[in-house]
Amino acid sequence: MTSPAGTRPTGDSGQPGGYTTNRWLLVAAALLLQFSIGAVYAWSVFSKALQESSAFDLSSVQAAVPFEVTIGMIFIGTYIGGRIQDKRGPRTVAMVGGVIYGIGVLIAGIARDADTFWLVILGYGVIGGFGLGVAYIVPIAMLQKWFPDKRGLITGLAVGGFGFGAVLTSPVANWLIDRDPDVPTKAFIPLGIAYLVMSVLGASVFKNPPAGYTVGDQSVTAQAPGRSAVHDYTQGEALRTPQWYLLTALLTLNVAAGISLISQAAASASDIAGYSASAAASVVGVLAIFNGAGRVVWAAASDKLGRMKSFAAMLGLSGICLIAIPHAENAALFVVLAAVIYLCYGGAFGTMPATAGDFFGVSNAGAIYGLMLIGWSIGGVVGPLVASALIGDDLNYTPAYTTIGVVALAAVVLTFITKMPEGRPDAGSGSAETIPR
């Protein structure tokens, strides 16, 4: 079979003629980048320290502001980074995003008291959140192009590193804060430097596959007999389909359901299951592992079960567990229910990039999925606000989590009405059908 100029069919190493790139090396590089920016989920460590610090002495609401701003800014970064990545390639965009994120964290480290807390909001929230978004979208779009044969698994790995970032950062951040607990922001300086180094190292090897890139025997990329070439959507074309809005709604509702518990995890563990403050903090650290694992597990499962069946399962399990968790006075049962919710929360981020690739193609994946991440910002802000408002000062966990759980269960309906755009192959359906590109 004749290959396009400068390329030839490749084996699993992903090495077309004239190129030496091993595609699994790119996965390792993507994980390094995602570990650094995923540290944002360790904010609860700083939130607690800022409330206990004599120099800052913040309320819980004030201490939550930088994290809320960060989540809100992510969408702006993913939208811009996704569009540029599709046109200019992944390396430069990922480096710029990682550097902006690191600089933002360093700026937060300049703050020394409540009067300079605005530097934390500006640095960690506005600047760091924007840089995070720019960098986050790049490996997701890039690796889908390198792994058309393992799209669900590979996007799960691409964002799994992000979920595990807090697991790695939390103990280090705690150790740094304990060196000067009155000024916990000093910990941002060494962390910011580490994030810069990790981001630049990871992004330095990023590249898109060459034109005509194929995998193995080309069963994934070959055009099926009697079938016309499959059209990859532009961002504008995707936005004119109902599927884009349905997928964004699924992501938004899944995020809102999971993060409603994540934002209240430590307090819920203490108030519902009777954990001490220190034990509750340990529980939150353990649960973060399930956030990262869910991104890989559900993404890989969606390759077999199908994308919509996977989302139905995630929303259904989240809803059931949210309704049950206010009654989980047994410490072990609380952790089990919370772990399932964390798994399903992470699962949406692992599964949705592959779903968007199935629905709209991967040529413009950065722009299309980057814009879709507005669901992360909306759900990430609305979920905690609704949860805290319903829980209130009287600790009304039952009506709060029951309400959110019912909404998650109702959202399962969306999975039955969301169909593949006409003309796209039914990828991720659990069938063995080949996927032409």
Side-chain angles (χ1 to χ4, degrees):
M1 181 174 184
T2 303
S3 302
T7 66
R8 68 171 181 262
T10 69
D12 195 56
S13 63
Q15 296 177 334
Y19 294 85
T20 59
T21 299
N22 185 308
R23 60 182 186 162
W24 291 102
L25 174 62
L26 294 172
V27 175
L31 289 173
L32 186 62
L33 171 67
Q34 295 284 49
F35 283 148
S36 66
I37 62 177
V40 67
Y41 277 130
W43 174 254
S44 60
V45 174
F46 289 98
S47 176
K48 182 175 181 292
L50 289 167
Q51 293 174 64
E52 296 175 349
S53 164
S54 59
F56 288 88
D57 191 26
L58 303 180
S59 68
S60 60
V61 173
Q62 290 172 321
V65 171
F67 181 73
E68 292 288 342
V69 173
T70 300
I71 298 300
M73 288 296 298
I74 286 174
F75 160 66
I76 300 175
T78 58
Y79 173 66
I80 294 175
R83 289 177 64 88
I84 299 175
Q85 190 272 156
D86 287 334
K87 297 177 180 178
R88 303 297 296 271
R91 182 179 301 161
T92 300
V93 179
M95 278 191 177
V96 169
V99 168
I100 292 173
Y101 174 70
I103 290 174
V105 175
L106 290 171
I107 290 173
I110 301 173
R112 288 293 180 265
D113 53 33
D115 291 336
T116 54
F117 180 59
W118 64 272
L119 286 169
V120 181
I121 299 173
L122 173 65
Y124 194 94
V126 177
I127 298 175
F130 175 75
L132 189 163
V134 171
Y136 176 85
I137 192 63
V138 176
I140 297 172
M142 176 188 70
L143 290 178
Q144 286 193 77
K145 297 171 184 176
W146 281 100
F147 289 85
D149 54 328
K150 298 178 174 66
R151 191 173 292 160
L153 171 62
I154 212 63
T155 55
L157 288 173
V159 299
F162 188 87
F164 283 118
V167 179
L168 300 176
T169 297
S170 292
V172 176
N174 266 320
W175 176 74
L176 291 170
I177 290 170
D178 286 344
R179 296 172 65 184
D180 191 351
D182 287 336
V183 189
T185 48
K186 288 183 179 179
F188 286 128
I189 300 298
L191 288 174
I193 294 171
Y195 299 155
L196 278 170
V197 173
M198 293 170 66
S199 297
V200 171
L201 283 176
S204 65
V205 299
F206 282 12
K207 62 163 65 174
N208 280 328
Y213 169 77
T214 58
V215 178
D217 61 2
Q218 294 190 313
S219 62
V220 176
T221 58
Q223 182 176 313
R227 203 180 224 170
S228 59
V230 177
H231 172 64
D232 279 5
Y233 285 66
T234 65
Q235 184 188 74
E237 290 170 338
L239 289 173
R240 290 193 289 273
T241 68
Q243 285 88 349
W244 186 91
Y245 298 93
L246 288 167
L247 293 181
T248 303
L250 281 171
L251 179 62
T252 303
L253 291 167
N254 203 99
V255 167
I259 209 167
S260 66
L261 174 68
I262 292 172
S263 65
Q264 301 285 336
S268 297
S270 297
D271 297 334
I272 295 173
Y275 283 94
S276 65
S278 59
S282 298
V283 166
V284 171
V286 171
L287 291 174
I289 297 173
F290 291 91
N291 180 5
R295 297 163 189 254
V296 181
V297 171
W298 277 111
S302 74
D303 281 339
K304 303 296 183 182
L305 298 176
R307 312 295 187 212
M308 289 302 106
K309 288 180 181 177
S310 296
F311 271 105
M314 283 185 272
L315 287 163
L317 287 170
S318 293
I320 292 169
C321 291
L322 281 166
I323 293 171
I325 206 165
H327 312 287
E329 296 179 359
N330 178 278
L333 178 59
F334 178 90
V335 171
V336 170
L337 293 173
V340 173
I341 294 169
Y342 271 68
L343 274 171
C344 295
Y345 172 81
F349 291 105
T351 306
M352 189 55 81
T355 307
D358 293 343
F359 275 55
F360 306 114
V362 299
S363 297
N364 300 294
I368 293 172
Y369 183 63
L371 187 57
M372 196 176 287
L373 284 173
I374 190 173
W376 186 2
S377 291
I378 295 173
V381 172
V382 172
L385 288 176
V386 171
S388 60
L390 292 175
I391 292 170
D393 296 333
D394 296 328
L395 306 181
N396 296 314
Y397 288 102
T398 298
Y401 288 142
T402 300
T403 299
I404 297 167
V406 169
V407 171
L409 289 174
V412 173
V413 174
L414 293 177
T415 66
F416 292 100
I417 63 176
T418 305
K419 306 296 184 183
M420 191 74 68
E422 185 177 353
R424 294 293 304 174
D426 194 15
S429 63
S431 70
E433 182 181 5
T434 57
I435 307 169
R437 293 181 69 237

